[in-house]
């Protein structure tokens, strides 16, 4: 892959120009709105280009290139759409068209244009007057243009003699303008009055209501130096105007996300100065909340006061010309542009409107059977967020979230509102959120005192809920669409990663790494070897590596989840319960307290508090089903009191199906590999025998990945007292078919030699056995000999060379000569006339036997050959048999840079020199 990045400027067109004009393919009819003629009128501010080879892995590389480029440009909002479209178009180029793909990313002020070009332009160019048929969306290929039409703002196809280019443009989402409100130019005498210099007191309050910062203007306005008030509660200085009929005080106002209004500050002189204040709730990088208060003198409120919006054409207008749009009145202006912000603002305003102690908002699932907590205030939000409760909690009107309900005392009707169990809330009013008659959510306000609400408050809350329901549903659908597009991109990349390996352990690691932290805080993978086996804990991962061992220890001591094949996620409470009980017992023991929890914890479990917190949230189990069999379980977990979103569980279910098939494929491949390796090892001879007076060394290399035995073979074995047989041969071809003949030849040699037959007779009978194989027979070159060490320190060899490369004899003086004569190979003709030759190895001599994979080693037009092998052997004088074989192998490997394509065997035998006194 080649890439280039040129920031700024107008880039040249990277495609070659030809004599033929460009022809654009543009849809007509209904699809025309998605396409416009490609132009370069926009100013290009950055350009990134890359080329990808016509191989399958290029698709994943192209996705990574586009993702990294757009994220580097700060366009995270459109990354997922761009990645999905690029993936489809590059797949068309490198897989279906079979050519390389050129990807070009162009950044402009209004969006991003991505072009994918291939070198297969010989396609039919449609006439402009004919409508384009996109084909069936269910077919395997050809969905690239359909996706462009669905996701891109503009797209098109261009043809030139050497290239075909498909391009699409994604526009940046509309962003809020910088100006919030603006007023008309007024005469100077109509401007707000301020006494000289306007001073703005800036005070920062921590979560407990104590002052942490006090600026110079605050000192000037109120007379207190910073060191005198820092650390004191603001309530000691504020003269709060309690509004009749409400219980909101300064402490409550400081906890609101925003607040604006008037109150008084007691100055150092004892007088109360009226001020106008604007409060903003913020948090630091560590998550610690605080409130920033801006205060001016009350008559200078124009400095801080948010101007009211003017009347709009589609809103009603009150007597004073102010907007009375119910949605704007309830939510405030401007409304938050994200779903979470809108929901949080809603519950805060609902709580304040009914003077409640807490409020909550739940959104309905697609099937309207459950409600999911999405925002709350005054409740332990970490515990409640994404928790789910049924829509129909009980019989009757008050048991359904589809109707408004008022409960005067929850203690009298236990479980009427499951969300409030254990929170101390006594009275509650809930109303449904509906869009076009369909339930989309539920809004509730609760108080700690009983009998706080009546039907009048329910009507007020229902009126507000009706005004915000459509905005909430629109924001929810937008969030859901973004999540689904991100899920599609996630699953595409996950499928590529899982399909890229057949190693079981690596597949398990990929499953966990794709899950954490994208879908869950921690995960565990259980595997099942067969139907009679129990689930086995195979892999554990947590986003904090220090917690992995603790979780693994905990899960290894508790019974695994049941391997239920039913699809979908099911809750598994055992890890959280056991961790909680074990941590509680450990804490009590550390405090020296007697007693223990009522539930007995399995001995040996000692998780720390951190481990108990890590697994204390919701834990779900998804079955891994492949080929109609449960092969394992994927367990996902959240930390203490957290729940999973329904959309995340659906995405996890899709991932589990892909992961299960990948894991089963890896299992099958591992089993087949183990069987193959076991069979191949059975074809190799056992350990070499120890021969008195002769050194023997063998080096064997089988060609091909995963092959341990090929068409080459060797053997050294005892025949009878003092005599040993040796052989080195080469079966035509490589791989399993050649290895089958290898096994036949090696075992037949041993059997025939031990029958007392001479070398020629052994090879003649082996030739007949090979010919008897019929169509499976293969011709065979073979060097066979019998060796007998002599009392004078030499060794006598009787050798038959049947079509094999001749053995070479190295003498002590460095000379090299062939040690046998060539004879016909085996497996070709029936009547062979072979003879044996006698060779005597003197002390210090070496006999080198190789297969043709050594002598035919090539580098381009060069070949090592017999002469090259002899030249290397002349440098081995005085070396041991092992050193000779190793030097020959190094010379063969260095002769060419490519990996060997043929099997190789080297057999070296050396008679040691005589020892001198």
């Amino acid at each position: 892959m080649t890439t280039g990045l040129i920031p700024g400027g107008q880039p040249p067109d990277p495609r070659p120009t030809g004599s033929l004009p460009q022809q654009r393919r543009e849809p007509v009819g209904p699809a025309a709105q998605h396409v416009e003629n490609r132009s370069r009128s926009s100013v290009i501010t950055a350009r990134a280009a890359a080329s990808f080879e016509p191989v399958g892995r290029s698709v994943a590389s192209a996705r990574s290139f586009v993702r990294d480029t757009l994220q580097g440009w700060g366009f995270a909002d459109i990354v997922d759409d761009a990645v999905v479209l690029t993936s489809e178009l590059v797949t068309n180029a490198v897989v279906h068209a079979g050519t390389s793909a050129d990807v070009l990313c162009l950044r402009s002020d209004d969006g991003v244009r991505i072009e994918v070009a291939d070198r297969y332009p010989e396609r039919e160019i449609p006439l402009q007057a004919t409508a384009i048929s996109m084909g069936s969306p269910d077919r395997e290929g050809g969905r690239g243009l359909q996706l462009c039409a669905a996701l891109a703002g503009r797209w098109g196809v261009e043809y030139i003699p050497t290239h075909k280019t498909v391009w699409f443009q994604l526009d940046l989402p509309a962003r809020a303008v910088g100006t919030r409100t603006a007023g008309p130019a007024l005469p100077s005498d109509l401007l707000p009055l301020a006494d000289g210099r306007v001073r703005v007191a800036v005070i920062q309050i921590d979560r407990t209501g104590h002052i942490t910062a006090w600026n110079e203007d605050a000192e000037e306005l109120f007379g207190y130096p910073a060191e005198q008030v820092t650390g004191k509660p603001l309530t000691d200085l504020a003269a709060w105007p309690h509004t009749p009929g409400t219980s909101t005080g300064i402490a409550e106002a400081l906890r609101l996300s925003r607040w604006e209004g008037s109150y008084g500050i007691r100055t150092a002189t004892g007088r109360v100065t009226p001020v106008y204040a604007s409060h903003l709730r913020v948090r630091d990088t560590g998550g610690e909340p605080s409130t920033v208060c801006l205060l001016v003198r009350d008559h200078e409120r124009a400095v801080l006061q948010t101007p009211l919006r003017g009347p709009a054409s589609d809103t009603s207008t009150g007597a004073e010309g102010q907007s009375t749009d119910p949605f704007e009145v309830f939510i405030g202006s401007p409304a938050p542009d994200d779903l979470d912000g809108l929901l949080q603002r809603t519950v805060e305003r609902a709580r304040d409107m009914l003077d409640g102690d807490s409020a909550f908002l739940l959104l309905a699932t697609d099937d309207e059977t459950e409600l999911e907590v999405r925002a709350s205030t005054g409740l332990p939000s970490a515990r409640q967020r994404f928790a789910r409760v049924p829509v129909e909690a009980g019989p009757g009107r008050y048991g359904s979230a589809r109707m408004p309900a008022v409960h005067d005392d929850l203690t009298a009707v236990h479980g009427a509102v499951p969300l409030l169990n254990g929170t101390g809330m006594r009275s509650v009013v809930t109303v449904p959120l509906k869009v076009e008659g369909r339930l989309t959510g539920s809004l509730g306000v609760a108080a700690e005192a009983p009998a706080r609400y009546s039907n009048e408050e329910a009507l007020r809350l229902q009126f507000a809920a009706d005004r915000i329901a459509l905005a909430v549903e629109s924001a929810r659908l937008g969030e859901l669409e973004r999540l689904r597009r991100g899920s599609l991109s996630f699953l595409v990349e996950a499928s590529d990663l899982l399909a890229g390996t057949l190693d079981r352990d690596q597949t398990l690691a990929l499953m966990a790494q794709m899950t954490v932290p994208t879908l869950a805080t921690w995960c565990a993978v259980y595997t099942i070897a067969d139907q009679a086996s129990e689930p086995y804990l195979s892999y554990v991962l947590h986003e904090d590596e220090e917690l992995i061992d603790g979780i693994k220890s905990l899960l290894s001591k508790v019974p695994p989840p049941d391997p239920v094949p039913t699809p979908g996620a099911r809750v598994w409470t055992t890890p959280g319960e056991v961790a909680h009980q074990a941590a509680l017992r450990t804490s009590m023991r550390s405090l020296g307290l007697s007693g223990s929890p009522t539930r007995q914890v399995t001995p040996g479990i000692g998780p720390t508090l951190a481990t108990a917190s890590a697994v204390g949230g919701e834990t779900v189990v998804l079955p891994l089903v492949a080929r109609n069999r449960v092969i394992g379980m994927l367990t996902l977990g959240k930390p203490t009191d957290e729940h999973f979103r329904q959309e995340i569980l659906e995405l996890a279910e899709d991932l589990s199906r892909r992961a299960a098939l990948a894991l089963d494929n890896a299992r099958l491949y591992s089993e087949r590999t183990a069987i193959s390796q076991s069979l191949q090892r059975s074809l190799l001879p056992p350990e070499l025998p120890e021969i008195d007076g002769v050194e023997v060394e063998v080096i064997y290399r089988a060609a091909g990945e995963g092959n341990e035995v090929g068409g080459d073979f060797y053997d050294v074995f005892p025949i009878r007292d003092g005599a040993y047989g040796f052989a080195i041969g080469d079966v035509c071809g490589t791989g399993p078919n050649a290895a089958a003949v290898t096994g036949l030849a090696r075992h037949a040699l041993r059997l025939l030699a031990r029958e007392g037959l001479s070398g020629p007779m052994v090879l003649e009978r082996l030739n007949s056995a090979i010919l008897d194989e019929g169509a499976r027979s293969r011709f065979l070159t073979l060097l066979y000999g019998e060796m007998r060490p002599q009392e004078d320190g030499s060794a006598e060899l009787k050798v038959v060379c049947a079509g094999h490369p001749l053995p070479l004899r190295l003498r002590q003086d460095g000379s090299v000569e062939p040690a046998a004569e060539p004879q016909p190979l085996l497996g070709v003709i029936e009547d062979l006339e072979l003879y044996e030759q006698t060779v005597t190895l003197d002390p210090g001599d070496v006999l080198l036997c190789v297969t043709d994979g050594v002598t035919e080693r090539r580098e381009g037009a060069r070949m090592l050959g017999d002469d090259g092998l002899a030249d290397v052997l002349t440098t081995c004088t005085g070396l041991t048999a092992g050193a000779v074989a190793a030097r020959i192998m190094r010379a063969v490997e260095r002769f060419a840079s490519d990996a060997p394509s043929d099997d190789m065997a080297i057999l070296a035998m050396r008679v040691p020199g005589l020892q001198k006194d």
Side-chain angles (χ1 to χ4, degrees):
M1 183 186 80
T2 58
T3 62
L5 181 61
I6 307 174
Q10 180 79 10
D13 195 328
R15 291 181 290 281
T17 58
S19 58
L20 295 177
Q22 293 188 3
Q23 304 182 51
R24 297 184 176 88
R25 175 175 178 171
E26 300 177 356
V28 296
Q33 58 182 333
H34 297 291
V35 187
E36 70 175 23
N37 289 344
R38 180 176 178 272
S39 68
R40 295 295 179 90
S41 58
S42 301
V43 176
I44 304 301
T45 58
R47 171 182 180 271
S51 296
F52 301 92
E53 298 177 355
V55 293
R57 63 177 181 272
S58 294
V59 180
S61 301
R63 286 198 296 268
S64 299
F65 164 70
V66 172
R67 181 181 296 279
D68 294 342
T69 299
L70 298 192
Q71 287 180 343
W73 289 347
F75 294 160
D77 293 338
I78 60 175
V79 163
D80 291 330
D81 287 353
V83 167
V84 169
L85 293 178
T86 303
S87 178
E88 287 290 334
L89 298 181
V90 173
T91 299
N92 290 340
V94 303
V95 176
H96 301 304
T99 76
S100 60
D102 299 328
V103 180
L104 176 65
C105 301
L106 300 175
R107 182 184 71 184
S108 61
D109 295 335
D110 54 351
V112 170
R113 182 191 300 272
I114 297 179
E115 304 175 359
V116 178
D118 63 48
R119 294 173 174 82
Y120 190 71
E122 295 84 5
R123 302 292 180 87
E124 179 183 356
I125 302 176
L127 299 176
Q128 296 299 316
T130 60
I132 292 178
S133 175
M134 292 293 186
S136 171
D138 297 326
R139 62 177 181 170
E140 181 178 358
R143 294 191 294 263
L145 297 184
Q146 287 181 294
L147 286 175
C148 287
L151 301 181
R154 295 179 293 280
W155 64 277
V157 185
E158 298 177 357
Y159 295 87
I160 62 174
T162 59
H163 289 74
K164 175 176 70 69
T165 301
V166 181
W167 61 269
F168 60 88
Q169 178 158 334
L170 298 174
D171 298 327
L172 296 178
R175 302 185 182 276
V177 295
T179 303
R180 177 174 156 182
T181 60
L186 297 176
S188 299
D189 57 348
L190 297 181
L191 296 177
L193 181 64
D195 297 339
R197 175 188 171 188
V198 176
R199 299 185 180 276
V200 179
V202 181
I203 306 172
Q204 192 160 1
I205 315 298
D206 63 15
R207 68 160 62 234
T208 63
H210 292 75
I211 299 171
T212 60
W214 183 273
N215 73 340
E216 294 180 357
D217 281 358
E219 294 183 10
E220 189 69 25
L221 284 176
F222 309 127
Y224 299 105
E227 57 272 13
Q228 184 176 349
V229 296
T230 300
K232 291 186 176 181
L234 182 63
T235 54
D236 291 351
L237 305 178
W240 190 258
H242 291 280
T243 304
T246 68
S247 60
T248 303
I250 179 64
E252 288 78 8
L254 292 175
R255 286 196 295 268
L256 297 177
S257 59
R258 286 182 180 273
W259 186 88
E260 195 173 311
S262 300
Y263 54 90
I265 295 292
R266 298 182 182 87
T267 65
T269 62
R271 300 181 61 185
V272 175
T273 297
V275 297
Y276 189 84
S278 176
H279 298 174
L280 176 65
R281 188 79 160 162
V282 298
R283 60 185 174 89
D284 60 19
T285 55
E288 184 66 20
S290 62
T291 303
V292 177
C293 305
L294 306 180
L295 299 91
V296 298
R297 287 171 292 195
D298 192 60
H299 64 273
E300 297 171 341
R301 64 169 58 203
V303 176
L304 298 181
Q305 188 172 26
T306 301
L308 296 175
R309 292 170 60 94
S313 59
D314 58 346
T315 59
S316 58
T317 305
E320 299 180 359
Q322 299 178 358
S323 171
T324 57
D325 179 15
F327 176 78
E328 297 291 350
V329 171
F330 183 71
I331 293 297
S333 178
D337 55 2
D338 64 296
L339 177 61
D340 288 337
L342 178 62
L343 299 183
Q344 192 62 33
R345 177 81 64 84
T346 299
V347 295
E348 291 173 357
R349 294 299 170 87
R351 181 189 66 176
D352 294 344
M353 182 180 73
L354 297 188
D355 191 23
D357 296 312
S358 64
F360 51 89
L361 194 150
L362 302 86
L363 295 183
T365 57
D366 291 340
D367 57 3
E368 297 185 30
T369 60
E370 288 185 313
L371 295 167
E372 188 177 65
V373 180
R374 293 298 302 271
S376 64
T377 181
L379 297 173
S381 57
R383 177 172 64 87
Q384 303 293 349
R385 186 165 170 79
F386 299 125
R388 289 176 294 278
V389 297
V391 170
E392 308 293 342
R397 168 184 171 181
Y398 285 1
S400 173
R402 303 180 187 277
M403 300 292 291
V406 178
H407 293 275
D408 290 335
D409 193 348
L410 293 177
T411 59
V413 188
H414 182 70
V417 183
L419 188 64
L420 300 180
N421 291 344
T423 61
M425 300 297 159
R426 297 282 298 277
S427 55
V428 62
V429 53
T430 61
V431 296
L433 275 68
K434 293 185 177 181
V435 175
E436 297 180 352
R438 182 173 59 86
L439 179 69
T440 60
S442 176
L443 177 63
V445 178
E448 296 179 355
R452 283 283 300 275
Y453 303 112
S454 63
N455 289 338
E456 181 180 351
E457 282 79 10
L459 290 174
R460 292 176 58 195
L461 189 61
Q462 185 66 72
F463 180 80
D466 292 342
R467 297 303 173 270
I468 66 168
L470 185 59
V472 169
E473 180 66 3
S474 177
R476 187 186 73 86
L477 292 176
E479 180 195 62
L480 186 60
E481 181 65 20
R482 289 190 296 272
L483 180 62
R484 287 176 176 170
R485 291 186 179 184
S487 299
L488 177 61
S489 177
F490 171 78
L491 290 174
V492 167
E493 295 189 15
S495 299
D496 262 4
L497 289 173
L498 291 170
T501 179
L502 287 173
D503 182 82
R504 176 183 177 277
D505 293 338
Q506 188 174 1
T507 302
L508 289 173
L510 284 174
M511 290 171 56
Q513 291 166 6
M514 287 184 296
T515 302
V516 177
T518 305
L519 305 180
T521 306
W522 65 271
C523 84
V525 183
Y526 291 85
T527 56
I528 303 174
D530 52 62
Q531 294 181 354
S533 301
E534 291 293 325
Y536 173 75
L537 181 63
S538 298
Y539 203 92
V540 175
L541 184 65
H542 191 282
E543 61 182 7
D544 184 353
E545 294 182 356
E546 296 181 355
L547 297 176
I548 294 177
D549 290 339
I551 297 176
K552 186 182 299 183
S553 175
L554 170 69
L555 295 179
S556 63
K557 300 300 193 307
V558 301
D562 296 329
V564 179
T566 306
R570 53 192 174 90
V571 177
W572 186 32
T573 60
T574 303
E577 294 174 354
V578 173
H580 173 73
Q581 294 290 340
L584 179 59
R585 188 173 67 174
T586 301
S587 300
M588 295 176 64
R589 187 165 51 246
S590 65
L591 295 173
L593 300 176
S594 60
S596 62
T598 56
R599 175 175 175 174
Q600 293 297 322
V601 182
T602 305
I605 299 179
T608 63
L609 292 177
T611 302
S613 177
V615 301
E618 189 174 51
T619 302
V620 298
V621 178
L622 297 106
L624 298 175
V625 181
R627 298 176 175 90
N628 299 321
R629 187 175 71 87
V630 180
I631 63 170
M633 286 89 70
L634 177 62
T635 302
L636 309 181
K638 287 282 191 179
T640 299
D641 294 333
E642 287 195 19
H643 298 266
F644 286 98
R645 293 187 60 176
Q646 186 63 32
E647 293 85 355
I648 295 297
L649 294 179
E650 293 172 358
L651 179 58
E653 186 177 356
D654 285 339
L655 176 63
S656 69
R657 285 195 291 266
R658 290 163 170 79
L661 188 59
L663 184 60
D664 199 46
N665 288 338
R667 177 188 63 83
L668 294 174
Y669 178 78
S670 299
E671 291 178 357
R672 301 298 187 271
T673 301
I675 294 172
S676 174
Q677 291 176 346
S678 178
L679 292 174
Q680 290 184 67
R681 292 191 189 102
S682 69
L683 299 177
L684 292 174
E687 296 181 358
L688 297 177
E690 295 287 342
I691 304 176
D692 293 337
V694 179
E695 298 175 0
V696 180
E697 183 64 32
V698 173
I699 295 180
Y700 184 81
R701 298 284 189 274
E705 183 180 358
N707 290 333
E708 297 188 20
V709 178
D712 291 4
F713 67 96
Y714 68 92
D715 202 358
V716 181
F717 54 92
I719 299 177
R720 49 191 170 270
D721 294 341
Y724 294 86
F726 65 91
I728 184 169
D730 184 1
V731 177
C732 173
T734 61
N737 293 330
V741 180
T742 294
L744 169 66
R746 191 179 68 79
H747 289 91
L749 279 176
R750 286 197 172 208
L751 179 63
L752 295 173
R754 288 172 177 171
E755 290 294 325
L757 301 177
S758 64
M761 294 182 66
V762 168
L763 268 60
E764 289 170 4
R765 295 196 179 187
L766 175 60
N767 180 65
S768 300
I770 294 175
L771 292 175
D772 288 343
E773 291 293 308
R776 296 183 298 174
S777 67
R778 290 168 176 259
F779 65 81
L780 166 68
T781 68
L782 178 63
L783 173 66
Y784 172 74
E786 296 182 3
M787 175 178 55
R788 186 182 298 272
Q790 303 298 311
E791 294 180 357
D792 61 357
S794 63
E796 183 184 78
L797 285 68
K798 295 181 179 181
V799 182
V800 181
C801 186
H804 199 77
L806 299 180
L808 299 179
R809 176 181 182 179
L810 171 65
R811 296 183 180 273
Q812 281 190 314
D813 59 4
S815 62
V816 176
E817 61 184 9
E821 296 177 355
Q823 300 184 58
L825 52 77
L826 309 181
V828 178
I829 59 178
E830 293 184 1
D831 298 328
L832 286 179
E833 294 183 2
L834 302 175
Y835 58 91
E836 63 183 9
Q837 298 172 268
T838 301
V839 180
T840 300
L841 295 183
D842 297 325
D845 289 356
V846 175
L847 185 70
L848 177 67
C849 310
V850 301
T851 58
D852 59 5
V854 174
T855 56
E856 295 179 2
R857 178 75 162 142
R858 294 181 179 274
E859 175 69 17
R862 298 187 307 119
M863 187 172 71
L864 180 62
D866 296 334
D867 294 338
L869 179 62
D871 291 341
V872 177
L873 186 58
T874 57
T875 66
C876 298
T877 305
L879 299 181
T880 64
V884 171
R887 179 169 292 187
I888 297 298
M889 179 56 74
R890 284 198 300 271
V892 172
E893 292 174 341
R894 293 173 180 174
F895 186 80
S897 58
D898 295 338
S901 59
D902 196 5
D903 305 326
M904 292 187 295
I906 300 173
L907 171 61
M909 294 181 290
R910 177 178 179 269
V911 178
L914 297 176
Q915 299 292 332
K916 296 182 180 180
D917 295 334

